[in-house]
Amino acid sequence: MQKIFLIGFMGSGKTHWGRQLSKKLQLPFFDLDSVVVETEKKSITEIFSQNGEEFFRYKEKEVMEELVSDHEKFILSCGGGTPCFFNNIAFMKKNGKVIWLNTSVDVLKERLLKERMSRPLIKAIGDTELKNYIVRKLGERRMYYEQANIIVDEEKASLDSLIELLSNE
Ligand code: S3P
């Protein structure tokens, strides 16, 4: 249980569960978006608008690779798209254990409605279209998320159940 990667859609709880796991397991915690923001000295929204998504995808891959080589152990909360670009999912599995926080579309929608403005991919999407967007995007991404070592029904998850799943891996 050295390097743990949390993956899942925007709003699936990656940062929340990442922090909890890091406290309980006494492992350093990183949030990939936050490390990209620190490295680039720009918000995610600014990176998308000034440099474009392709640049962002390249940076998130580069930052993840640096974290993996610089640290022996960690909990890393990835961005929602991280496992779906380059060969990132294979890289994560080669270097540690990957957990997919599988959260239902309705719960994702409720959470994302509240914090849409800080997320460049969805800030221009209207309330009524948000659900369709999530269904479509999750459909495209599922094939990557499903490659995780551990798949968790996020709404039923508890810290103890996550730790038990990890120790059985
Ligand atoms: C993205 C999710 C975001 C962030 C960026 C792109 C995505 O991370 O990396 O806005 O493609 O789903 P969170 O899932 O942490 O919001």
Side-chain angles (χ1 to χ4, degrees):
M1 231 200 264
Q2 302 266 305
K3 291 188 175 94
I4 299 166
F5 300 85
L6 293 175
I7 64 168
F9 206 79
M10 280 175 273
S12 60
K14 301 181 293 284
T15 307
H16 166 77
W17 289 111
R19 285 190 200 284
Q20 306 266 325
L21 281 170
S22 103
K23 264 190 225 144
K24 186 86 174 187
L25 298 173
Q26 308 252 290
L27 291 175
F29 170 72
F30 298 100
D31 179 88
L32 188 54
D33 282 341
S34 307
V35 185
V36 172
V37 166
E38 279 162 31
T39 312
E40 290 302 302
K41 300 182 177 57
K42 282 180 193 174
S43 69
I44 298 289
T45 305
E46 283 167 344
I47 299 173
F48 268 72
S49 64
Q50 296 172 15
N51 308 93
E53 181 172 351
E54 207 177 319
F55 175 89
F56 172 76
R57 295 302 171 196
Y58 189 74
K59 278 292 150 196
E60 81 174 340
K61 167 185 152 70
E62 202 174 65
V63 167
M64 178 174 68
E65 288 172 353
E66 276 168 20
L67 287 169
V68 164
S69 63
D70 292 352
H71 300 271
E72 197 191 335
K73 306 173 176 190
F74 60 52
I75 309 275
L76 177 64
S77 294
C78 298
T82 316
C84 316
F85 291 85
F86 306 104
N87 61 346
N88 289 347
I89 184 72
F91 177 81
M92 293 176 201
K93 286 172 75 178
K94 194 171 146 221
N95 286 285
K97 295 285 170 224
V98 181
I99 306 181
W100 173 25
L101 297 173
N102 186 12
T103 309
S104 72
V105 170
D106 287 326
V107 170
L108 292 173
K109 191 191 88 181
E110 288 314 310
R111 290 182 190 164
L112 292 176
L113 275 174
K114 291 183 204 137
E115 31 174 275
R116 198 162 20 154
M117 293 327 284
S118 59
R119 299 178 193 260
L121 288 178
I122 55 169
K123 70 175 183 179
I125 298 176
D127 288 13
T128 46
E129 296 133 65
L130 188 59
K131 185 167 176 176
N132 287 341
Y133 174 86
I134 297 170
V135 170
R136 182 171 57 78
K137 207 69 179 167
L138 196 53
E140 290 166 14
R141 290 182 167 181
R142 182 173 289 276
M143 61 182 282
Y144 300 98
Y145 294 154
E146 279 174 347
Q147 293 178 48
N149 302 100
I150 300 169
I151 298 177
V152 172
D153 178 346
E154 194 262 337
E155 289 145 68
K156 297 199 185 104
S158 66
L159 194 49
D160 289 341
S161 67
L162 288 175
I163 288 170
E164 198 184 327
L165 286 166
L166 274 166
S167 59
N168 292 336
E169 256 304 303

